[in-house]
């Protein structure tokens, strides 16, 4: 059984080893510092004797190095080889993995009944899935980012040690479940435990088999990108570290400055400025709605009247209107103009009809039913107001039929 030495010695980038076995392009060494993909952390990148390593996995207790399919490597058991690990990618993964612990520690201080549901390191972002009693809101995300960056600034030590499974599970506050155990079990009864902060007052402590930096100050800035809910009771938080985080924070700052300029305010005054703008928009919307109702009412008052079956009707067509917008002005017109009923036929790609009636001489629902029987479509309503849509006829023809029936 050959375990990777990467979690225990994450700063090693070059090493010598002996080839134990070769199966096609898969190579097993007597020892390795390549990290195999595990627990959400991707495999290391690098080379063996100059041959590109395409993937690294742990299989049947051995770390298997899969060489690039194009590599013409004539390796054989017993060969001495040099392994080189991609420094930039290992450093990024170590920072990102440690950042996930820091963020989880921040979540401990924000959310109640916190649980861990997994994590993943991608090229430009990291995700952490949390189980919480209540979904995290925007304010919680801001606090997570603030607390995480404060933990980075405070330069907390990061350490790791191996314990028995029983001892590990007894560690106060440890994150230890089926998700975090992957990679943490180093064989037998041994469990690797990573602690962020001092042992007597840790920021976070978890069973974990990944690579980490030695101090949180090495992580750099952390920028929370977004949240989502991939499952019931689970909040997914996506964040960035390093250059992506710097770019994200810069973009957010630029957007805030642009918004402040547009609103003639300082960045710190944006919430009040936006609130005033929203109030003004609401006021203008209400005024526009009132003006539109008055315009529609004026249009309806201009409808010609006709005697239909002994009842006085006003019938006409109206464009650029929604059936629901016509309810109040049509009902008001019937009451104000001493009408028994008013019918408005909407023009456009989807002709409709609305009928307002007094409910005595004319039943609006029956009137709409007669229209849809004649011209297709469907609708419904009560004695004083009804509407129908999907009419298969020219609106003027529908209006003429209503006047003449």
């Amino acid at each position: 059984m050959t375990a990777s030495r990467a979690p225990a010695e994450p700063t090693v980038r070059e090493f010598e080893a002996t080839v134990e076995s070769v199966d096609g392009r898969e190579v097993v060494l007597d020892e390795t510092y390549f990290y195999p993909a595990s627990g959400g952390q991707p495999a290391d990148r690098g080379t063996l004797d100059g041959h590109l390593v395409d993937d690294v996995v742990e299989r049947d207790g051995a770390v298997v190095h899969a060489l690039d399919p194009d590599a013409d490597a004539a390796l054989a058991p017993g060969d001495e080889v040099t392994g080189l690990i991609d420094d930039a990618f290992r450093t990024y993964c170590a920072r990102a993995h440690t950042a996930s612990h820091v963020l989880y520690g921040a979540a401990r201080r924000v959310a109640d009944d916190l649980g861990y549901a997994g994590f993943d390191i991608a090229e430009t972002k990291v995700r952490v899935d949390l189980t919480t009693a209540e979904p995290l809101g925007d304010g919680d995300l801001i606090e997570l980012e603030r607390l995480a960056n404060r933990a980075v600034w405070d330069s907390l030590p990061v350490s790791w040690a191996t314990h028995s499974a029983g001892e590990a599970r007894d560690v106060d506050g440890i994150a230890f479940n089926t998700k975090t155990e992957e990679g943490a079990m180093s064989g037998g009864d041994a469990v690797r435990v990573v602690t962020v902060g001092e042992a007597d007052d840790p920021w976070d402590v978890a069973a974990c088999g990944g690579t980490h930096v030695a101090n949180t100050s090495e992580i750099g800035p952390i920028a929370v990108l977004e949240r989502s809910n991939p499952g019931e009771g689970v909040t997914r938080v996506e964040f960035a570290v390093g250059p992506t985080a710097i770019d994200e924070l810069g973009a957010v700052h630029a957007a805030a400055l642009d918004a402040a300029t547009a609103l003639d305010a300082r960045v710190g005054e944006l919430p009040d400025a936006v609130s005033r703008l929203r109030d003004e928009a609401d006021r203008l919307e209400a005024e526009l709605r009132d003006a539109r109702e008055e315009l529609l009412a004026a249009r309806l008052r201009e409808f010609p009247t006709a005697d239909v079956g002994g009842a006085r009707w006003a019938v006409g067509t109206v464009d650029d209107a929604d059936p629901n917008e016509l309810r109040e002005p049509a009902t008001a017109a019937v009451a104000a103009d001493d009408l028994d009923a008013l019918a408005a036929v909407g023009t456009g790609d989807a002709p409709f009809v609305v009928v307002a009636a007094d409910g005595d001489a004319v039943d609006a629902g029956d009137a709409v039913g007669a229209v849809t029987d004649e011209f297709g479509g469907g609708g419904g309503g009560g004695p004083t107001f009804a509407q129908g849509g999907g009419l298969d006829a020219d609106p003027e023809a529908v209006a003429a039929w209503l006047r003449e029936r």
Side-chain angles (χ1 to χ4, degrees):
M1 179 174 178
T2 306
S4 171
R5 298 182 64 83
E9 301 177 69
T11 60
V12 173
R13 298 292 186 271
E14 181 175 355
F15 65 95
E16 304 293 327
T18 301
V19 175
E20 281 197 343
S21 65
V22 178
D23 183 5
R25 63 188 184 93
E26 295 186 341
V27 180
V28 175
L29 307 175
D30 66 336
E31 70 172 11
T32 184
Y33 287 84
F34 275 90
Y35 182 84
S38 176
Q41 179 172 332
D44 275 329
R45 302 168 180 174
T47 61
L48 281 180
D49 265 12
H51 304 298
L52 188 66
V53 175
D54 187 55
D55 195 14
V56 186
V57 297
E58 187 170 347
R59 185 189 306 145
D60 299 328
V63 177
V64 179
H65 309 74
L67 301 184
D68 185 273
D70 296 330
D72 185 17
L75 298 179
D79 288 350
E80 298 293 323
V81 295
T82 299
L84 292 177
I85 295 167
D86 185 306
D87 177 68
F89 191 66
R90 164 65 73 79
T91 300
Y92 166 70
C93 288
R95 288 172 172 171
H97 204 146
T98 311
S100 72
H101 288 261
V102 169
L103 193 81
Y104 189 79
R108 291 176 186 267
R109 292 153 176 81
V110 171
D112 295 327
D113 298 328
L114 183 70
Y116 181 85
F119 105 111
D120 180 73
I121 298 174
E123 292 280 350
T124 58
K125 63 183 178 181
V126 185
R127 70 163 174 84
V128 175
D129 292 342
L130 309 170
T131 60
T132 57
E134 298 292 336
L136 299 178
D138 290 342
D140 296 320
L141 287 191
I142 293 171
E143 185 66 0
L144 282 180
E145 185 177 87
R146 187 189 73 80
L147 289 172
N149 281 295
R150 182 54 192 262
V152 170
W153 175 260
D154 287 343
S155 300
L156 303 177
V158 182
S159 59
W160 42 88
T162 301
H163 303 274
S164 69
E167 291 172 339
R169 292 178 185 276
D170 287 339
V171 174
D172 187 33
I174 189 171
F176 197 161
N177 56 36
T178 56
K179 293 288 185 182
T180 57
E181 286 175 13
E182 185 178 3
M185 307 295 286
S186 58
D189 191 46
V191 178
R192 185 166 178 270
V193 177
V194 175
T195 302
V196 178
E198 301 296 341
D200 58 348
D201 185 25
W203 178 263
D204 183 65
V205 58
C208 180
T211 61
H212 300 83
V213 296
N215 192 283
T216 57
S217 62
E218 299 178 51
I219 296 172
I222 297 174
V224 173
L225 303 175
E226 61 179 318
R227 74 179 186 280
S228 59
N229 299 100
E232 185 177 356
V234 177
T235 298
R236 173 167 293 171
V237 178
E238 295 182 327
F239 65 95
V241 297
T244 305
I246 294 171
D247 291 345
E248 173 68 14
L249 294 171
V252 170
H253 192 194
L257 289 173
D258 287 345
T261 299
L263 294 174
D264 192 23
R266 296 178 181 274
V267 170
E269 298 169 344
L270 278 176
D272 289 339
V274 170
S275 179
R276 289 195 299 272
L277 187 64
R278 184 182 296 113
D279 290 343
E280 179 67 8
D282 290 343
R283 183 184 66 79
L284 292 174
E285 184 178 350
E287 290 181 358
L288 179 61
R289 186 169 54 251
D290 291 343
R292 183 166 177 77
E293 287 182 1
E294 291 179 5
L295 176 61
L296 289 174
R299 289 180 183 175
L300 299 184
R301 285 195 296 270
E302 294 174 354
F303 281 1
T305 59
D307 188 322
V308 180
R312 185 167 180 262
W313 282 68
V315 181
T317 59
V318 60
D319 57 1
D320 191 27
D322 180 89
N324 293 323
E325 291 181 301
L326 294 170
R327 182 184 191 112
E328 186 171 333
T331 301
V334 169
D337 296 339
D338 194 26
L339 297 171
D340 294 312
L342 180 146
V345 183
T347 63
D349 296 334
F352 64 85
V353 62
V354 299
V355 175
D358 62 5
D360 294 324
V362 177
D363 184 297
D366 290 344
V368 166
V371 172
T372 56
D373 286 345
E374 180 72 18
F375 298 104
T384 58
F385 185 82
Q387 64 186 58
L391 307 182
D392 185 18
D394 178 76
E396 291 291 352
V398 176
W401 182 85
L402 279 165
R403 296 189 193 100
E404 297 167 0
R405 67 190 181 91

